[in-house]
mmCIF file of all heavy atoms in Angstrom:
data_model
loop_
_atom_site.group_PDB
_atom_site.id
_atom_site.type_symbol
_atom_site.label_atom_id
_atom_site.label_comp_id
_atom_site.label_asym_id
_atom_site.label_seq_id
_atom_site.Cartn_x
_atom_site.Cartn_y
_atom_site.Cartn_z
ATOM 1 N N VAL A 251 -1.099 10.724 1.603
ATOM 2 C CA VAL A 251 -1.209 9.432 0.912
ATOM 3 C C VAL A 251 -0.262 9.402 -0.286
ATOM 4 O O VAL A 251 0.470 8.424 -0.507
ATOM 5 C CB VAL A 251 -2.662 9.159 0.470
ATOM 6 C CG1 VAL A 251 -2.720 7.948 -0.462
ATOM 7 C CG2 VAL A 251 -3.556 8.933 1.682
ATOM 8 N N GLY A 252 -0.250 10.490 -1.058
ATOM 9 C CA GLY A 252 0.649 10.569 -2.210
ATOM 10 C C GLY A 252 2.111 10.492 -1.800
ATOM 11 O O GLY A 252 2.913 9.814 -2.466
ATOM 12 N N LEU A 253 2.472 11.150 -0.702
ATOM 13 C CA LEU A 253 3.856 11.116 -0.219
ATOM 14 C C LEU A 253 4.233 9.710 0.249
ATOM 15 O O LEU A 253 5.356 9.250 0.018
ATOM 16 C CB LEU A 253 4.043 12.110 0.922
ATOM 17 C CG LEU A 253 3.976 13.599 0.543
ATOM 18 C CD1 LEU A 253 3.961 14.467 1.797
ATOM 19 C CD2 LEU A 253 5.155 13.982 -0.352
ATOM 20 N N MET A 254 3.303 9.034 0.909
ATOM 21 C CA MET A 254 3.561 7.666 1.358
ATOM 22 C C MET A 254 3.809 6.737 0.170
ATOM 23 O O MET A 254 4.727 5.914 0.180
ATOM 24 C CB MET A 254 2.367 7.137 2.167
ATOM 25 C CG MET A 254 2.178 7.823 3.489
ATOM 26 S SD MET A 254 3.520 7.442 4.626
ATOM 27 C CE MET A 254 3.137 8.582 5.932
ATOM 28 N N GLU A 255 2.983 6.878 -0.841
ATOM 29 C CA GLU A 255 3.137 6.032 -2.023
ATOM 30 C C GLU A 255 4.464 6.290 -2.714
ATOM 31 O O GLU A 255 5.110 5.361 -3.219
ATOM 32 C CB GLU A 255 1.962 6.266 -2.982
ATOM 33 C CG GLU A 255 0.642 5.727 -2.429
ATOM 34 C CD GLU A 255 -0.562 6.124 -3.275
ATOM 35 O OE1 GLU A 255 -0.442 7.060 -4.089
ATOM 36 O OE2 GLU A 255 -1.624 5.492 -3.097
ATOM 37 N N SER A 256 4.905 7.552 -2.728
ATOM 38 C CA SER A 256 6.191 7.886 -3.345
ATOM 39 C C SER A 256 7.363 7.318 -2.554
ATOM 40 O O SER A 256 8.450 7.110 -3.091
ATOM 41 C CB SER A 256 6.349 9.400 -3.485
ATOM 42 O OG SER A 256 6.502 10.014 -2.216
ATOM 43 N N GLU A 257 7.146 7.059 -1.245
ATOM 44 C CA GLU A 257 8.180 6.461 -0.398
ATOM 45 C C GLU A 257 8.078 4.934 -0.388
ATOM 46 O O GLU A 257 8.725 4.271 0.421
ATOM 47 C CB GLU A 257 8.060 6.996 1.037
ATOM 48 C CG GLU A 257 8.371 8.477 1.183
ATOM 49 C CD GLU A 257 9.829 8.803 0.918
ATOM 50 O OE1 GLU A 257 10.690 7.946 1.206
ATOM 51 O OE2 GLU A 257 10.099 9.918 0.428
ATOM 52 N N GLN A 258 7.254 4.387 -1.275
ATOM 53 C CA GLN A 258 7.089 2.929 -1.418
ATOM 54 C C GLN A 258 6.474 2.271 -0.183
ATOM 55 O O GLN A 258 6.717 1.088 0.088
ATOM 56 C CB GLN A 258 8.439 2.266 -1.740
ATOM 57 C CG GLN A 258 9.150 2.826 -2.962
ATOM 58 C CD GLN A 258 8.286 2.740 -4.229
ATOM 59 O OE1 GLN A 258 7.750 1.681 -4.537
ATOM 60 N NE2 GLN A 258 8.135 3.854 -4.943
ATOM 61 N N ILE A 259 5.697 3.042 0.586
ATOM 62 C CA ILE A 259 4.918 2.446 1.675
ATOM 63 C C ILE A 259 3.590 2.008 1.064
ATOM 64 O O ILE A 259 2.741 2.833 0.749
ATOM 65 C CB ILE A 259 4.706 3.450 2.831
ATOM 66 C CG1 ILE A 259 6.061 3.847 3.425
ATOM 67 C CG2 ILE A 259 3.803 2.852 3.906
ATOM 68 C CD1 ILE A 259 5.986 4.914 4.506
ATOM 69 N N LYS A 260 3.429 0.729 0.903
ATOM 70 C CA LYS A 260 2.304 0.220 0.111
ATOM 71 C C LYS A 260 1.053 -0.063 0.937
ATOM 72 O O LYS A 260 -0.053 -0.005 0.427
ATOM 73 C CB LYS A 260 2.737 -1.041 -0.650
ATOM 74 C CG LYS A 260 3.926 -0.783 -1.581
ATOM 75 C CD LYS A 260 4.202 -1.966 -2.474
ATOM 76 C CE LYS A 260 5.434 -1.723 -3.340
ATOM 77 N NZ LYS A 260 5.296 -0.544 -4.186
ATOM 78 N N THR A 261 1.230 -0.392 2.206
ATOM 79 C CA THR A 261 0.074 -0.680 3.057
ATOM 80 C C THR A 261 -0.329 0.601 3.778
ATOM 81 O O THR A 261 0.314 1.016 4.749
ATOM 82 C CB THR A 261 0.392 -1.792 4.074
ATOM 83 O OG1 THR A 261 0.822 -2.958 3.364
ATOM 84 C CG2 THR A 261 -0.839 -2.132 4.906
ATOM 85 N N ILE A 262 -1.380 1.228 3.271
ATOM 86 C CA ILE A 262 -1.858 2.501 3.826
ATOM 87 C C ILE A 262 -3.341 2.359 4.119
ATOM 88 O O ILE A 262 -4.120 1.985 3.240
ATOM 89 C CB ILE A 262 -1.638 3.661 2.830
ATOM 90 C CG1 ILE A 262 -0.175 3.717 2.378
ATOM 91 C CG2 ILE A 262 -2.060 4.998 3.450
ATOM 92 C CD1 ILE A 262 0.061 4.691 1.237
ATOM 93 N N ARG A 263 -3.727 2.620 5.354
ATOM 94 C CA ARG A 263 -5.134 2.496 5.736
ATOM 95 C C ARG A 263 -5.610 3.751 6.461
ATOM 96 O O ARG A 263 -4.799 4.557 6.896
ATOM 97 C CB ARG A 263 -5.336 1.238 6.581
ATOM 98 C CG ARG A 263 -5.327 -0.031 5.730
ATOM 99 C CD ARG A 263 -5.395 -1.281 6.542
ATOM 100 N NE ARG A 263 -4.118 -1.599 7.150
ATOM 101 C CZ ARG A 263 -3.840 -2.773 7.712
ATOM 102 N NH1 ARG A 263 -4.764 -3.716 7.750
ATOM 103 N NH2 ARG A 263 -2.655 -3.001 8.243
ATOM 104 N N LEU A 264 -6.915 3.868 6.576
ATOM 105 C CA LEU A 264 -7.533 5.119 7.031
ATOM 106 C C LEU A 264 -8.319 4.934 8.318
ATOM 107 O O LEU A 264 -9.066 3.964 8.480
ATOM 108 C CB LEU A 264 -8.473 5.637 5.935
ATOM 109 C CG LEU A 264 -9.286 6.900 6.246
ATOM 110 C CD1 LEU A 264 -8.378 8.127 6.329
ATOM 111 C CD2 LEU A 264 -10.365 7.112 5.179
ATOM 112 N N ILE A 265 -8.162 5.899 9.222
ATOM 113 C CA ILE A 265 -9.046 6.042 10.382
ATOM 114 C C ILE A 265 -9.707 7.407 10.285
ATOM 115 O O ILE A 265 -9.028 8.428 10.142
ATOM 116 C CB ILE A 265 -8.282 5.924 11.713
ATOM 117 C CG1 ILE A 265 -7.809 4.487 11.939
ATOM 118 C CG2 ILE A 265 -9.169 6.369 12.882
ATOM 119 C CD1 ILE A 265 -6.984 4.292 13.199
ATOM 120 N N VAL A 266 -11.034 7.430 10.337
ATOM 121 C CA VAL A 266 -11.776 8.686 10.349
ATOM 122 C C VAL A 266 -12.168 8.974 11.792
ATOM 123 O O VAL A 266 -12.895 8.198 12.414
ATOM 124 C CB VAL A 266 -13.025 8.625 9.447
ATOM 125 C CG1 VAL A 266 -13.714 9.993 9.413
ATOM 126 C CG2 VAL A 266 -12.639 8.201 8.030
ATOM 127 N N ASN A 267 -11.664 10.074 12.307
ATOM 128 C CA ASN A 267 -11.842 10.423 13.716
ATOM 129 C C ASN A 267 -12.886 11.533 13.879
ATOM 130 O O ASN A 267 -13.125 12.312 12.957
ATOM 131 C CB ASN A 267 -10.484 10.874 14.290
ATOM 132 C CG ASN A 267 -10.478 10.953 15.798
ATOM 133 O OD1 ASN A 267 -11.259 10.276 16.476
ATOM 134 N ND2 ASN A 267 -9.608 11.772 16.346
ATOM 135 N N ARG A 268 -13.475 11.593 15.057
ATOM 136 C CA ARG A 268 -14.421 12.651 15.448
ATOM 137 C C ARG A 268 -15.634 12.733 14.513
ATOM 138 O O ARG A 268 -16.034 13.812 14.074
ATOM 139 C CB ARG A 268 -13.710 13.995 15.517
ATOM 140 C CG ARG A 268 -12.632 14.029 16.583
ATOM 141 C CD ARG A 268 -11.952 15.360 16.641
ATOM 142 N NE ARG A 268 -10.804 15.311 17.526
ATOM 143 C CZ ARG A 268 -9.715 16.059 17.394
ATOM 144 N NH1 ARG A 268 -9.628 16.914 16.400
ATOM 145 N NH2 ARG A 268 -8.712 15.939 18.231
ATOM 146 N N VAL A 269 -16.214 11.609 14.258
ATOM 147 C CA VAL A 269 -17.400 11.553 13.398
ATOM 148 C C VAL A 269 -18.649 11.851 14.224
ATOM 149 O O VAL A 269 -18.825 11.302 15.322
ATOM 150 C CB VAL A 269 -17.518 10.163 12.730
ATOM 151 C CG1 VAL A 269 -18.848 10.024 11.984
ATOM 152 C CG2 VAL A 269 -16.346 9.940 11.789
ATOM 153 N N ARG A 270 -19.504 12.735 13.700
ATOM 154 C CA ARG A 270 -20.776 13.066 14.352
ATOM 155 C C ARG A 270 -21.916 12.634 13.432
ATOM 156 O O ARG A 270 -22.247 13.335 12.475
ATOM 157 C CB ARG A 270 -20.860 14.560 14.642
ATOM 158 C CG ARG A 270 -19.811 15.063 15.622
ATOM 159 C CD ARG A 270 -20.060 16.498 15.988
ATOM 160 N NE ARG A 270 -19.082 17.004 16.938
ATOM 161 C CZ ARG A 270 -19.132 18.202 17.505
ATOM 162 N NH1 ARG A 270 -20.143 19.028 17.218
ATOM 163 N NH2 ARG A 270 -18.204 18.588 18.347
ATOM 164 N N PRO A 271 -22.539 11.502 13.715
ATOM 165 C CA PRO A 271 -23.584 10.980 12.831
ATOM 166 C C PRO A 271 -24.728 11.949 12.598
ATOM 167 O O PRO A 271 -25.265 12.041 11.490
ATOM 168 C CB PRO A 271 -24.070 9.723 13.561
ATOM 169 C CG PRO A 271 -22.918 9.323 14.418
ATOM 170 C CD PRO A 271 -22.256 10.592 14.831
ATOM 171 N N GLU A 272 -25.111 12.693 13.656
ATOM 172 C CA GLU A 272 -26.253 13.606 13.491
ATOM 173 C C GLU A 272 -25.931 14.722 12.504
ATOM 174 O O GLU A 272 -26.814 15.173 11.754
ATOM 175 C CB GLU A 272 -26.672 14.187 14.852
ATOM 176 C CG GLU A 272 -25.680 15.141 15.514
ATOM 177 C CD GLU A 272 -24.568 14.454 16.277
ATOM 178 O OE1 GLU A 272 -24.462 13.221 16.167
ATOM 179 O OE2 GLU A 272 -23.810 15.161 16.971
ATOM 180 N N MET A 273 -24.683 15.171 12.448
ATOM 181 C CA MET A 273 -24.295 16.212 11.494
ATOM 182 C C MET A 273 -24.237 15.655 10.071
ATOM 183 O O MET A 273 -24.573 16.348 9.111
ATOM 184 C CB MET A 273 -22.942 16.812 11.875
ATOM 185 C CG MET A 273 -22.987 17.655 13.139
ATOM 186 S SD MET A 273 -21.408 18.446 13.507
ATOM 187 C CE MET A 273 -21.329 19.670 12.174
ATOM 188 N N ILE A 274 -23.831 14.391 9.947
ATOM 189 C CA ILE A 274 -23.828 13.749 8.619
ATOM 190 C C ILE A 274 -25.251 13.625 8.098
ATOM 191 O O ILE A 274 -25.531 13.891 6.931
ATOM 192 C CB ILE A 274 -23.137 12.368 8.695
ATOM 193 C CG1 ILE A 274 -21.641 12.544 9.002
ATOM 194 C CG2 ILE A 274 -23.323 11.594 7.385
ATOM 195 C CD1 ILE A 274 -20.900 11.249 9.241
ATOM 196 N N GLN A 275 -26.174 13.255 8.991
ATOM 197 C CA GLN A 275 -27.575 13.122 8.580
ATOM 198 C C GLN A 275 -28.161 14.447 8.113
ATOM 199 O O GLN A 275 -29.030 14.476 7.238
ATOM 200 C CB GLN A 275 -28.413 12.554 9.734
ATOM 201 C CG GLN A 275 -28.172 11.072 9.987
ATOM 202 C CD GLN A 275 -29.056 10.544 11.102
ATOM 203 O OE1 GLN A 275 -29.260 11.214 12.110
ATOM 204 N NE2 GLN A 275 -29.572 9.343 10.923
ATOM 205 N N LEU A 276 -27.680 15.533 8.690
ATOM 206 C CA LEU A 276 -28.171 16.862 8.316
ATOM 207 C C LEU A 276 -27.345 17.489 7.188
ATOM 208 O O LEU A 276 -27.519 18.667 6.876
ATOM 209 C CB LEU A 276 -28.148 17.790 9.544
ATOM 210 C CG LEU A 276 -29.119 17.433 10.671
ATOM 211 C CD1 LEU A 276 -28.804 18.237 11.917
ATOM 212 C CD2 LEU A 276 -30.557 17.668 10.221
ATOM 213 N N ASN A 277 -26.439 16.690 6.595
ATOM 214 C CA ASN A 277 -25.549 17.170 5.520
ATOM 215 C C ASN A 277 -24.680 18.349 5.959
ATOM 216 O O ASN A 277 -24.344 19.232 5.173
ATOM 217 C CB ASN A 277 -26.360 17.568 4.274
ATOM 218 C CG ASN A 277 -26.973 16.365 3.584
ATOM 219 O OD1 ASN A 277 -26.342 15.310 3.490
ATOM 220 N ND2 ASN A 277 -28.209 16.508 3.130
ATOM 221 N N GLN A 278 -24.304 18.334 7.238
ATOM 222 C CA GLN A 278 -23.430 19.378 7.765
ATOM 223 C C GLN A 278 -21.999 18.878 7.940
ATOM 224 O O GLN A 278 -21.118 19.630 8.344
ATOM 225 C CB GLN A 278 -23.972 19.870 9.117
ATOM 226 C CG GLN A 278 -25.318 20.573 9.012
ATOM 227 C CD GLN A 278 -25.892 20.934 10.373
ATOM 228 O OE1 GLN A 278 -25.470 20.404 11.404
ATOM 229 N NE2 GLN A 278 -26.857 21.838 10.377
ATOM 230 N N MET A 279 -21.782 17.613 7.647
ATOM 231 C CA MET A 279 -20.454 17.003 7.792
ATOM 232 C C MET A 279 -20.257 16.008 6.657
ATOM 233 O O MET A 279 -21.200 15.345 6.227
ATOM 234 C CB MET A 279 -20.345 16.303 9.153
ATOM 235 C CG MET A 279 -19.026 15.600 9.418
ATOM 236 S SD MET A 279 -18.902 14.953 11.111
ATOM 237 C CE MET A 279 -18.379 16.435 11.993
ATOM 238 N N ILE A 280 -19.022 15.917 6.176
ATOM 239 C CA ILE A 280 -18.714 14.954 5.107
ATOM 240 C C ILE A 280 -18.924 13.542 5.641
ATOM 241 O O ILE A 280 -18.507 13.218 6.759
ATOM 242 C CB ILE A 280 -17.250 15.095 4.659
ATOM 243 C CG1 ILE A 280 -16.882 16.548 4.417
ATOM 244 C CG2 ILE A 280 -16.986 14.278 3.395
ATOM 245 C CD1 ILE A 280 -15.392 16.768 4.254
ATOM 246 N N SER A 281 -19.523 12.698 4.845
ATOM 247 C CA SER A 281 -19.738 11.316 5.265
ATOM 248 C C SER A 281 -18.458 10.507 5.103
ATOM 249 O O SER A 281 -17.557 10.871 4.338
ATOM 250 C CB SER A 281 -20.859 10.677 4.441
ATOM 251 O OG SER A 281 -20.435 10.464 3.103
ATOM 252 N N VAL A 282 -18.381 9.394 5.811
ATOM 253 C CA VAL A 282 -17.229 8.503 5.702
ATOM 254 C C VAL A 282 -17.118 7.971 4.269
ATOM 255 O O VAL A 282 -16.015 7.853 3.719
ATOM 256 C CB VAL A 282 -17.348 7.343 6.710
ATOM 257 C CG1 VAL A 282 -16.218 6.332 6.513
ATOM 258 C CG2 VAL A 282 -17.337 7.875 8.136
ATOM 259 N N GLU A 283 -18.262 7.687 3.658
ATOM 260 C CA GLU A 283 -18.259 7.187 2.272
ATOM 261 C C GLU A 283 -17.643 8.213 1.319
ATOM 262 O O GLU A 283 -16.866 7.851 0.422
ATOM 263 C CB GLU A 283 -19.686 6.853 1.820
ATOM 264 C CG GLU A 283 -20.304 5.636 2.509
ATOM 265 C CD GLU A 283 -20.773 5.942 3.936
ATOM 266 O OE1 GLU A 283 -20.815 7.141 4.326
ATOM 267 O OE2 GLU A 283 -21.073 4.986 4.669
ATOM 268 N N ASP A 284 -17.974 9.490 1.514
ATOM 269 C CA ASP A 284 -17.396 10.531 0.656
ATOM 270 C C ASP A 284 -15.887 10.640 0.859
ATOM 271 O O ASP A 284 -15.130 10.852 -0.102
ATOM 272 C CB ASP A 284 -18.056 11.882 0.946
ATOM 273 C CG ASP A 284 -19.489 11.965 0.427
ATOM 274 O OD1 ASP A 284 -19.828 11.156 -0.474
ATOM 275 O OD2 ASP A 284 -20.256 12.811 0.906
ATOM 276 N N ILE A 285 -15.442 10.501 2.106
ATOM 277 C CA ILE A 285 -14.003 10.552 2.387
ATOM 278 C C ILE A 285 -13.290 9.393 1.713
ATOM 279 O O ILE A 285 -12.213 9.556 1.118
ATOM 280 C CB ILE A 285 -13.751 10.531 3.914
ATOM 281 C CG1 ILE A 285 -14.301 11.811 4.555
ATOM 282 C CG2 ILE A 285 -12.261 10.387 4.221
ATOM 283 C CD1 ILE A 285 -14.282 11.797 6.069
ATOM 284 N N LEU A 286 -13.886 8.210 1.760
ATOM 285 C CA LEU A 286 -13.296 7.042 1.108
ATOM 286 C C LEU A 286 -13.218 7.234 -0.406
ATOM 287 O O LEU A 286 -12.235 6.834 -1.039
ATOM 288 C CB LEU A 286 -14.100 5.782 1.439
ATOM 289 C CG LEU A 286 -13.988 5.279 2.886
ATOM 290 C CD1 LEU A 286 -14.978 4.172 3.138
ATOM 291 C CD2 LEU A 286 -12.570 4.822 3.176
ATOM 292 N N ASP A 287 -14.235 7.865 -0.988
ATOM 293 C CA ASP A 287 -14.219 8.143 -2.429
ATOM 294 C C ASP A 287 -13.085 9.099 -2.792
ATOM 295 O O ASP A 287 -12.474 8.982 -3.860
ATOM 296 C CB ASP A 287 -15.558 8.752 -2.871
ATOM 297 C CG ASP A 287 -16.684 7.722 -2.901
ATOM 298 O OD1 ASP A 287 -16.372 6.512 -2.916
ATOM 299 O OD2 ASP A 287 -17.856 8.129 -2.895
ATOM 300 N N LEU A 288 -12.796 10.047 -1.888
ATOM 301 C CA LEU A 288 -11.756 11.038 -2.160
ATOM 302 C C LEU A 288 -10.352 10.468 -1.971
ATOM 303 O O LEU A 288 -9.441 10.767 -2.749
ATOM 304 C CB LEU A 288 -11.945 12.256 -1.246
ATOM 305 C CG LEU A 288 -13.154 13.150 -1.535
ATOM 306 C CD1 LEU A 288 -13.411 14.084 -0.371
ATOM 307 C CD2 LEU A 288 -12.928 13.950 -2.817
ATOM 308 N N LEU A 289 -10.170 9.640 -0.954
ATOM 309 C CA LEU A 289 -8.820 9.169 -0.616
ATOM 310 C C LEU A 289 -8.459 7.821 -1.252
ATOM 311 O O LEU A 289 -7.281 7.516 -1.446
ATOM 312 C CB LEU A 289 -8.664 9.073 0.908
ATOM 313 C CG LEU A 289 -8.811 10.389 1.676
ATOM 314 C CD1 LEU A 289 -8.590 10.161 3.173
ATOM 315 C CD2 LEU A 289 -7.833 11.437 1.164
ATOM 316 N N VAL A 290 -9.453 7.012 -1.511
ATOM 317 C CA VAL A 290 -9.265 5.718 -2.190
ATOM 318 C C VAL A 290 -8.223 4.852 -1.465
ATOM 319 O O VAL A 290 -7.314 4.303 -2.095
ATOM 320 C CB VAL A 290 -8.867 5.908 -3.677
ATOM 321 C CG1 VAL A 290 -9.151 4.620 -4.455
ATOM 322 C CG2 VAL A 290 -9.593 7.074 -4.314
ATOM 323 N N ILE A 291 -8.350 4.726 -0.164
ATOM 324 C CA ILE A 291 -7.543 3.781 0.608
ATOM 325 C C ILE A 291 -8.484 3.017 1.535
ATOM 326 O O ILE A 291 -9.562 3.503 1.865
ATOM 327 C CB ILE A 291 -6.429 4.485 1.424
ATOM 328 C CG1 ILE A 291 -7.004 5.570 2.348
ATOM 329 C CG2 ILE A 291 -5.353 5.037 0.515
ATOM 330 C CD1 ILE A 291 -5.961 6.188 3.277
#
């Protein structure tokens, strides 16, 4: 994301792949919300 911004690519969006809801519920996998907080895109 930082490299893209430095190259003046302004439209940057996120796809979260291979999500396992049952692992998120058991706190064994990072949630999509936490990923969004970290990447801010």
Side-chain angles (χ1 to χ4, degrees):
V251 170
L253 291 171
M254 292 292 171
E255 291 172 343
S256 69
E257 293 293 328
Q258 305 303 310
I259 298 176
K260 301 189 183 301
T261 303
I262 306 171
R263 284 175 283 193
L264 176 69
I265 290 177
V266 184
N267 193 25
R268 297 180 188 150
V269 172
R270 296 187 179 186
E272 68 278 8
M273 290 184 70
I274 293 174
Q275 287 182 320
L276 293 168
N277 291 321
Q278 294 175 343
M279 179 174 277
I280 312 168
S281 70
V282 175
E283 291 77 11
D284 288 340
I285 294 172
L286 289 171
D287 287 342
L288 290 166
L289 298 182
V290 200
I291 56 174

